[in-house]
Amino acid sequence: MNKVHFILGVHNHQPIGNFDFVFELAYTKSYLPFLEAMEKHPAIHWNMHTTGILWEWLERHHPDYVDRIAEQVKQGRLEILTGGYYEPILPILPDADKSGQIQKLTRYIRHRFKTKPQGMWLAERVWEPHLPKILSDNDVDYTLVDDTHFLSTGMTLEDMCGAYLSEEQGKTATVLPIRQDLRYAIPFKDSGETLSLLRQYASPSGHKALVMFDDGEKFGLWPETYKHVYEGGWLEKFLTVLESNKDWIVTSRISDYLATHVPQGRVYLPTASYSEMGEWTLPAQAQDVLTDLQKHLPAEERDAAKRFVRGGFWRNFLTKYEESNTMHKKMLRVSEKVHQALGSAASSAPKPSAKVQKLLDALWAGQCNCAYWHGVFGGLYLPHLRQALYRELLSAEMQADKILHGDKIQVTQDDFDKDGRPEILVEAPGQNLYISPHNGGSVFEWDLRKEGINLQNVLTRRQEGYHKQLLEFVAQHGGTDTGHVKTIHDVVRVKEPGLEKRLFVDWYRRTSLLDHFLHPDTKIDDFYRCQYGEQGDFIKTGYQTDVMEGTHPQIRLTRLGAVWMGDQKNMVSVEKTLSLTDAKEWQVVYRIQNVHGPACHMWFGCEMNLAFSSQDKQDPIEHLQQTQWLRRDHGYGLVLKVQLDLPMDLWEFPLETVSLSEEGFERTYQGTVLLAHSKISLQPGQVWIRSWRVGVQPE
């Protein structure tokens, strides 16, 4: 009889910083019922990858579940895969961290399940050609990627029915393709479609294998899937169909299949991820071009074109979102400090000491991938996920700096963000101030190190490719959901009315100490929408720097720029001097001079963007002639104070984005914008001086 191997696998993961109730919901609606269903069908062999983050949570809250997984392994039914313990995008890590993360999860699996994992799950299936050596060096035999990777080499879908061997510097690793047609069919289509597809690949030798390995959360946690998969009986029916056809469908653990079937050949895969990821990493306009190109291809050519018409490269999330790049470069900086503090021997030890492991764990937890990018899931757009990474990275940085520098303040001029221009990094025991001279002389990171909080952790409002989808959906349906069970890539939901009216786009990155010269007709709502007239050229431009080091270092930033007032142009000097005043406070002194030109009347404003744990205002607010501004944050347990030396007018409003998540289109609070502004009249050569202090104290 003709036979075919069917490799079924689930990948279970929750990110660092996700809410505990989300972990519990995923367990209740997905992880547990899926296991219960598999236990009822002992003839089926399957595969699982669970991240170290989730294993830790399960061990604390549901150890019986882990015991039941161990029993499945003991019975020889279930294969457990290793991977990066904290689910990082492996290629973007330093090599020492790649190996350390893999080895940590491998140690846990060997100890808990009494088995040596042979394969590895690759987070988001982000592949780069150097990975075979990394896998081989860490005793990993195989990994899985999407069929997209293989199709990009010129192979056809008919070739996606087995394993292949890839090589780097003579080191090899086996790579299996995950079928997109199976990912989209399971669990969203009738099981008969999967049966028909498998039958096409059945052969007398039975050497072919089709792989479906995808997010476990799609079985119950994704919208409407619990009702469909469990209450509606889809999974039970599907497993029954597999069992009843076991005479020709061989459900396999991956290692069992590889032990009896040699790879079909050698392959060199390009940089790739799954097809949707390739679209998401593109800028919005490029996404539109790709979508239109695919849409206008004749139907008979569409599938063939997919092999060569594809999106971009995962690392370009670091160019699409400057905030993502800042987190990544922060991670690299902290990694360098950690390994320097520990020394190469301690960092690469097979079993690090408890103290060393604590330091490494903080670093590695800060490498969890989810907050570094954005697609159909919230990811980067979720402030609590970004803040969780900063908490871990700051913990690791504090521990490393204590070893390297003690309590000394470090001032470094270095190309932090790797764009060819230096930033100024002021790192003290209590706080960090990172300054970008070439981006308006602004502060782009302000860390409270002991609290593990980055108070600059905000996100700029951008145009996203799916905003067009939102506008079209509202125009066609008025925001009413169609209610059908769909894949996460097709579902369209709008969580509140009127989101299409909040699609504001910022033309500059939201940082702090941004120097505006406003058009005299500007209203607070204009500034809130970022649709106002800018009369100066001080945003997104370069400032000269003067670093005065010492016990209390000062950073002076100066720019001679133009301010236009109708037909009149004045050359104006803006000088701002930053200094740390105590462990959790800094001061800025502004000096604005009318350097060249007649008497002028300008409207100056200094913008700060501050990250808080929750939103307290819904609409823009104007405060007249204030000498201080306070914000209590109960979540962080602190009070932030801006103390001005002389009264100024203040504009305050929430910075909110409209993004797409698995729950649908939603509005997310990213931070609070504060503009301290004043109308200035200066005679030729005259100077305007103001100062204020910005700091925090316990609530």
Side-chain angles (χ1 to χ4, degrees):
M1 174 180 284
N2 291 349
K3 292 187 177 183
V4 65
H5 287 262
F6 176 51
I7 294 173
L8 174 64
V10 289
H11 154 65
N12 298 332
H13 169 58
Q14 292 298 320
I16 287 287
N18 213 359
F19 302 116
D20 195 70
F21 77 85
V22 177
F23 277 77
E24 186 64 40
L25 187 65
Y27 170 77
T28 303
K29 300 192 73 172
S30 178
Y31 310 143
L32 178 60
F34 189 88
L35 174 59
E36 291 173 337
M38 297 305 295
E39 288 174 334
K40 296 175 184 176
H41 295 271
I44 295 177
H45 293 70
W46 57 299
N47 306 268
M48 171 191 279
H49 169 259
T50 297
T51 60
I53 305 160
L54 185 51
W55 282 130
E56 286 185 6
W57 185 88
L58 290 166
E59 293 279 19
R60 290 195 304 271
H61 297 275
H62 299 285
D64 55 318
Y65 171 88
V66 186
D67 292 339
R68 290 163 71 175
I69 290 293
E71 182 60 28
Q72 291 274 300
V73 175
K74 183 179 178 181
Q75 293 173 8
R77 291 187 54 204
L78 173 62
E79 179 163 350
I80 303 289
L81 279 68
T82 188
Y85 191 93
Y86 294 95
E87 192 68 356
I89 298 296
L90 210 63
I92 67 166
L93 303 188
D95 286 348
D97 297 330
K98 291 184 180 78
S99 297
Q101 290 236 27
I102 295 170
Q103 291 167 14
K104 180 176 171 65
L105 186 53
T106 295
R107 285 196 300 270
Y108 168 79
I109 293 169
R110 295 187 73 152
H111 172 75
R112 187 63 170 87
F113 301 110
K114 312 304 181 194
T115 184
K116 175 187 175 297
Q118 298 185 40
M120 186 186 84
W121 177 257
L122 194 60
E124 302 301 330
R125 285 92 82 194
V126 176
W127 173 270
E128 293 189 18
H130 69 275
L131 285 175
K133 184 177 185 301
I134 297 296
L135 270 62
S136 177
D137 288 347
N138 288 281
D139 203 20
V140 175
D141 296 331
Y142 70 82
T143 191
L144 306 100
V145 297
D146 273 46
D147 53 14
T148 305
H149 301 58
F150 288 82
L151 295 172
S152 299
T153 70
M155 299 170 72
T156 68
L157 197 58
E158 295 301 309
D159 299 319
M160 305 297 101
C161 57
Y164 291 84
L165 209 60
S166 194
E167 171 269 335
E168 164 70 3
Q169 299 181 46
K171 301 291 184 72
T172 60
T174 300
V175 189
L176 295 95
I178 302 170
R179 296 277 299 223
Q180 187 186 68
D181 46 12
L182 286 173
R183 284 200 300 116
Y184 276 39
I186 299 172
F188 305 105
K189 297 181 180 179
D190 185 83
S191 55
E193 293 196 26
T194 299
L195 207 66
S196 298
L197 180 61
L198 291 172
R199 195 177 298 279
Q200 295 175 31
Y201 289 86
S203 66
S205 65
H207 71 282
K208 296 182 179 180
L210 270 64
V211 180
M212 201 306 292
F213 210 126
D214 206 0
D215 295 347
E217 293 79 16
K218 72 193 290 186
F219 296 95
L221 188 61
W222 287 7
E224 304 296 329
T225 55
Y226 184 83
K227 180 179 179 181
H228 171 64
V229 172
Y230 301 111
E231 293 178 354
W234 184 95
L235 184 56
E236 177 61 29
K237 180 180 179 181
F238 179 70
L239 297 176
T240 300
V241 166
L242 291 180
E243 272 192 330
S244 62
N245 288 275
K246 63 182 180 181
D247 55 336
W248 68 276
I249 299 177
V250 183
T251 57
S252 299
R253 299 188 308 172
I254 299 172
S255 59
D256 293 338
Y257 172 75
L258 294 178
T260 54
H261 296 81
V262 298
Q264 298 194 73
R266 187 171 53 253
V267 68
Y268 291 93
L269 301 172
T271 55
S273 181
Y274 49 87
S275 58
E276 300 89 354
M277 179 76 82
E279 296 176 15
W280 298 332
T281 192
L282 295 173
Q285 296 84 352
Q287 287 187 44
D288 287 343
V289 172
L290 179 62
T291 300
D292 289 343
L293 179 61
Q294 294 171 337
K295 188 185 301 182
H296 289 100
L297 285 171
E300 62 274 12
E301 297 178 12
R302 204 164 293 157
D303 288 340
K306 281 183 179 179
R307 296 161 60 193
F308 310 109
V309 180
R310 62 191 183 103
F313 174 30
W314 190 92
R315 292 196 191 216
N316 280 323
F317 280 115
L318 306 180
T319 60
K320 183 177 182 179
Y321 302 107
E322 196 62 34
E323 297 87 349
S324 175
N325 185 62
T326 296
M327 281 194 299
H328 179 252
K329 301 312 182 283
K330 174 74 171 184
M331 179 272 290
L332 293 181
R333 180 171 178 79
V334 173
S335 177
E336 184 177 6
K337 288 183 178 185
V338 166
H339 293 292
Q340 184 181 351
L342 294 179
S344 58
S347 299
S348 59
K351 191 174 181 181
S353 68
K355 183 177 180 180
V356 169
Q357 191 64 63
K358 179 183 177 183
L359 180 48
L360 290 171
D361 283 346
L363 166 64
W364 294 342
Q367 296 170 344
C368 180
N369 83 86
C370 306
Y372 285 97
W373 63 279
H374 172 65
V376 75
F377 298 100
L380 177 73
Y381 272 80
L382 300 179
H384 66 282
L385 295 189
R386 300 195 308 269
Q387 194 62 68
L389 297 193
Y390 278 111
R391 182 182 66 243
E392 300 293 345
L393 293 174
L394 289 170
S395 173
E397 182 178 52
M398 258 193 21
Q399 295 175 64
D401 275 350
K402 190 72 175 175
I403 297 170
L404 295 171
H405 307 298
D407 292 329
K408 293 181 180 178
I409 297 176
Q410 302 295 310
V411 181
T412 307
Q413 297 187 66
D414 189 26
D415 183 11
F416 170 84
D417 59 7
K418 309 307 176 190
D419 69 347
R421 298 170 293 185
E423 284 72 39
I424 301 172
L425 313 179
V426 183
E427 297 171 322
Q431 62 180 324
N432 296 328
L433 275 183
Y434 289 4
I435 302 157
S436 177
H438 53 272
N439 189 30
S442 64
V443 174
F444 65 92
E445 182 168 333
W446 175 25
D447 300 317
L448 303 179
R449 289 163 61 115
K450 294 180 181 178
E451 292 78 6
I453 299 169
N454 174 13
L455 287 167
Q456 280 293 141
N457 176 34
V458 302
L459 193 68
T460 303
R461 300 175 298 188
R462 293 175 172 83
Q463 180 185 356
E464 295 285 2
Y466 51 70
H467 285 163
K468 182 178 179 182
Q469 182 186 10
L470 171 61
L471 294 171
E472 292 173 348
F473 179 76
V474 171
Q476 294 174 10
H477 303 284
T480 303
D481 180 36
T482 56
H484 298 298
V485 178
K486 307 172 184 178
T487 75
I488 199 69
H489 309 289
D490 298 326
V491 67
V492 177
R493 295 172 180 271
V494 180
K495 294 179 69 174
E496 63 175 287
L499 288 182
E500 72 280 2
K501 298 175 184 177
R502 295 178 178 268
L503 297 178
F504 308 131
V505 176
D506 297 322
W507 58 271
Y508 57 89
R509 182 182 177 185
R510 293 286 183 172
T511 52
S512 285
L513 299 190
L514 293 165
D515 303 326
H516 296 275
F517 288 88
L518 305 176
H519 189 278
D521 294 335
T522 302
K523 303 292 190 296
I524 187 171
D525 281 347
D526 303 328
F527 196 75
Y528 164 60
R529 292 176 170 82
C530 207
Q531 299 167 356
Y532 69 98
E534 185 74 52
Q535 297 195 169
D537 62 359
F538 293 80
I539 307 293
K540 297 176 69 172
T541 53
Y543 279 59
Q544 293 182 335
T545 62
D546 183 13
V547 178
M548 294 157 282
E549 298 191 42
T551 307
H552 300 286
Q554 292 186 331
I555 313 298
R556 182 182 297 126
L557 301 133
T558 309
R559 173 173 173 77
L560 180 63
V563 178
W564 287 265
M565 291 145 286
D567 294 333
Q568 180 178 319
K569 173 185 174 182
N570 284 60
M571 297 306 295
V572 173
S573 169
V574 173
E575 176 186 290
K576 48 192 172 185
T577 303
L578 282 80
S579 57
L580 306 185
T581 53
D582 71 14
K584 300 176 186 178
E585 183 184 76
W586 50 273
Q587 175 181 269
V588 61
V589 178
Y590 268 92
R591 184 179 186 276
I592 299 176
Q593 182 177 19
N594 180 9
V595 174
H596 180 74
C600 59
H601 306 282
M602 304 176 292
W603 189 359
F604 171 73
C606 172
E607 177 183 347
M608 289 185 287
N609 289 271
L610 301 164
F612 298 101
S613 65
S614 60
Q615 185 169 353
D616 70 336
K617 302 287 194 309
Q618 295 293 327
D619 300 301
I621 297 175
E622 187 168 14
H623 309 278
L624 300 177
Q625 292 300 287
Q626 301 293 308
T627 56
Q628 76 172 17
W629 180 82
L630 291 175
R631 168 68 195 271
R632 297 184 183 277
D633 191 313
H634 301 299
Y636 290 154
L638 56 80
V639 177
L640 189 146
K641 180 191 291 187
V642 178
Q643 187 76 42
L644 299 103
D645 64 337
L646 292 171
M648 292 182 72
D649 292 341
L650 304 176
W651 286 350
E652 172 190 356
F653 58 84
L655 184 67
E656 299 171 307
T657 54
V658 176
S659 61
L660 186 62
S661 76
E662 60 268 37
E663 295 295 329
F665 287 96
E666 61 187 10
R667 178 164 51 115
T668 304
Y669 169 73
Q670 299 293 343
T672 294
V673 181
L674 183 69
L675 183 78
H677 58 97
S678 182
K679 293 181 178 177
I680 307 171
S681 296
L682 293 178
Q683 296 297 318
Q686 190 175 0
V687 176
W688 178 89
I689 298 175
R690 290 288 187 278
S691 69
W692 50 86
R693 292 174 178 244
V694 184
V696 299
Q697 60 191 42
E699 189 179 16

